[in-house]
Amino acid sequence: MPNARISGTGFYVPPRVVTNDDLVARGIDTTNAWIVQRTGIEARRYAEEGIGTSDLALPAARDALARAGLRPRDVDLIVFATLSPEMAFPGSGVLLQQKLGMCEGDDVKLCGALDVRNQCSGFLYGLQVAADAVRAGSAKHVLLVGAETHSAAIDLSTRGRTVSTLFGDGAGAVIVSATDEPGGVRGPWLGADGRHAELLCQKVWDIRKRPFIPLDADGVGHVDAEHMWAQMDGRVVFKHAVEKMCLALMQACWATNVEPADIDLFFFHQANLRINQYVASQLGLPDDKVVHNIQRYGNTTAATIPILLAEAERDGRLTRGKKIAMVAFGSGFTWASAIVDW
Ligand code: ACO
């Protein structure tokens, strides 16, 4: 049975930088000091209107393929993690396949394209699908993408400030490839607790109703603000996040017989710098081993961990032979962890 390794990384963030002061200038009753002190976020990126999540994913996917020395037709499966797909259906995976030129011409490859809907844990949930496909021999190379266009779906008014100030747009991608070398991807280990499904959610419609979005007398659909925007009980999310991230990381260490001290770099989901600092302090992890980018990008949900990986490779911190741990927690609640020999 082959092992699964990460053979290429890529990322793309849209060029428009939106600082905390830019949000104040839009009329949101907040301050740079409040956001930095509570979350660590200084800026985030917003895509322009007309750009979709698969558009952000395309340069990230091309970047990862190039670094793996592969062409689109070498991909046996696309796994696309996002909570902000272009449409209710189909998912963004098929849109990316088409944009990569895999549906016709020299790179044609009508491989499977799967969307994963696990929010901030989406990349690691997707990594389990990708690594298992490789280990089972049903795929040699899997293109795994996490991408989000949050800026279109956050309430940029004072009413929505608790959620909207946290999120940004971006995309990250990795290639998960078969290898005969030992090690590679260990896990991921996944968890979920559906009792908390409504503590962090964006309902938009109610499929139990007829029709699923209320219509007015003219037959026009209306979504009220409570359902249109994401709702979050931030304090409860914070409490569960630190607990589950600590447990998920320890689970990965126990399962692989690895001590946290043996791990070279930690890649945590970036929801709040304070959450990650708390987790690191609980587990006694030194600051220089914990990688952050929330200051520049905010929370990019499924894109967060692959962007972190790609940036760490490019700045020389993440090199072949290093042992890394990844941990995520988010809506669901869902959480996941993995250890990878790079
Ligand atoms: N600017 C100024 N004031 C604000 C802002 C803001 N951006 N946001 C909230 N406030 C106010 C609130 O209205 C409240 O005012 P009040 O006391 O007059 O009612 C006050 O600040 C305190 O609000 P809290 O929500 O209690 O603030 P808290 O210290 O908990 O920080 C935060 C909020 C940053 C959201 C924090 O709870 C958090 O990070 N939670 C976890 C978020 C997370 O991990 N999300 C998961 C990932 S997302 C995903 O999976 C999709």
Side-chain angles (χ1 to χ4, degrees):
M1 208 163 104
N3 282 319
R5 68 173 288 261
I6 294 180
S7 60
T9 64
F11 82 109
Y12 175 77
V13 288
R16 186 170 150 217
V17 178
V18 177
T19 65
N20 295 337
D21 284 333
D22 291 334
L23 296 179
V24 175
R26 286 185 74 109
I28 302 178
D29 181 12
T30 187
T31 61
N32 177 54
W34 194 99
I35 300 171
V36 171
Q37 196 255 322
R38 302 286 179 118
T39 71
I41 299 166
E42 295 163 22
R44 70 288 288 146
R45 302 295 180 98
Y46 283 179
E48 299 302 330
E49 191 164 348
I51 301 291
T53 303
S54 62
D55 297 314
L56 300 179
L58 182 61
R62 284 192 175 134
D63 192 11
L65 284 165
R67 288 181 74 102
L70 299 174
R71 298 187 56 167
R73 67 169 178 237
D74 298 318
V75 170
D76 301 312
L77 175 67
I78 296 171
V79 180
F80 198 121
T82 185
L83 67 70
S84 48
E86 276 88 347
M87 300 176 249
F89 71 85
S92 296
V94 293
L95 304 183
L96 177 63
Q97 182 197 34
Q98 189 261 321
K99 286 173 185 168
L100 280 167
M102 295 170 71
C103 300
E104 57 195 336
D106 292 346
D107 275 320
V108 70
K109 182 76 168 275
L110 301 180
C111 66
L114 170 77
D115 271 42
V116 169
R117 297 274 315 268
N118 287 86
Q119 299 68 249
C120 298
S121 310
F123 176 76
L124 292 181
Y125 268 64
L127 182 60
Q128 190 185 58
V129 175
D132 280 353
V134 163
R135 292 185 286 230
S138 59
K140 210 165 157 197
H141 302 290
V142 180
L143 168 60
L144 168 60
V145 177
E148 305 287 358
T149 313
H150 286 307
S151 56
I154 44 177
D155 180 3
L156 289 168
S157 71
T158 295
R159 180 185 53 198
R161 65 185 178 180
T162 310
V163 173
S164 62
T165 51
L166 305 178
F167 291 95
D169 301 342
V174 299
I175 309 297
V176 181
S177 297
T179 177
D180 295 329
E181 292 173 26
V185 178
R186 323 279 192 88
W189 292 271
L190 311 182
D193 185 347
R195 288 175 298 175
H196 307 295
E198 300 206 3
L199 294 183
L200 177 49
C201 63
Q202 186 172 13
K203 294 188 174 171
V204 187
W205 64 69
D206 185 344
I207 208 75
R208 296 164 298 187
K209 297 223 168 105
R210 306 288 181 272
F212 71 127
I213 289 173
L215 301 181
D216 67 15
D218 299 321
V220 178
H222 289 279
V223 180
D224 57 36
E226 185 198 338
H227 294 115
M228 180 150 170
W229 309 117
Q231 309 293 316
M232 176 175 74
D233 185 334
R235 287 185 177 220
V236 178
V237 175
F238 195 108
K239 191 168 88 51
H240 284 266
V242 290
E243 182 191 313
K244 291 297 185 302
M245 287 174 70
C246 287
L247 284 172
L249 183 54
M250 291 317 298
Q251 184 182 13
C253 288
W254 290 322
T256 52
N257 205 16
V258 163
E259 294 290 328
D262 300 332
I263 294 169
D264 298 305
L265 289 171
F266 294 86
F267 295 84
F268 293 159
H269 174 62
Q270 308 280 297
N272 185 323
L273 191 60
R274 309 289 162 242
I275 292 177
N276 293 353
Q277 288 171 333
Y278 192 78
V279 171
S281 74
Q282 289 294 300
L283 298 174
L285 312 178
D287 285 349
D288 62 347
K289 284 191 172 186
V290 185
V291 182
H292 303 292
N293 65 12
I294 191 170
Q295 298 91 334
R296 291 175 286 126
Y297 302 140
N299 182 353
T300 56
T301 310
T304 297
I305 289 180
I307 294 176
L308 280 175
L309 295 173
E311 286 193 328
E313 260 205 339
R314 280 146 189 78
D315 69 23
R317 270 183 300 176
L318 180 53
T319 48
R320 205 81 208 265
K322 289 225 162 125
K323 188 181 289 300
I324 69 162
M326 301 183 269
V327 185
F329 175 90
S331 159
F333 295 145
T334 59
W335 57 90
S337 58
I339 288 181
V340 177
D341 300 304
W342 204 257

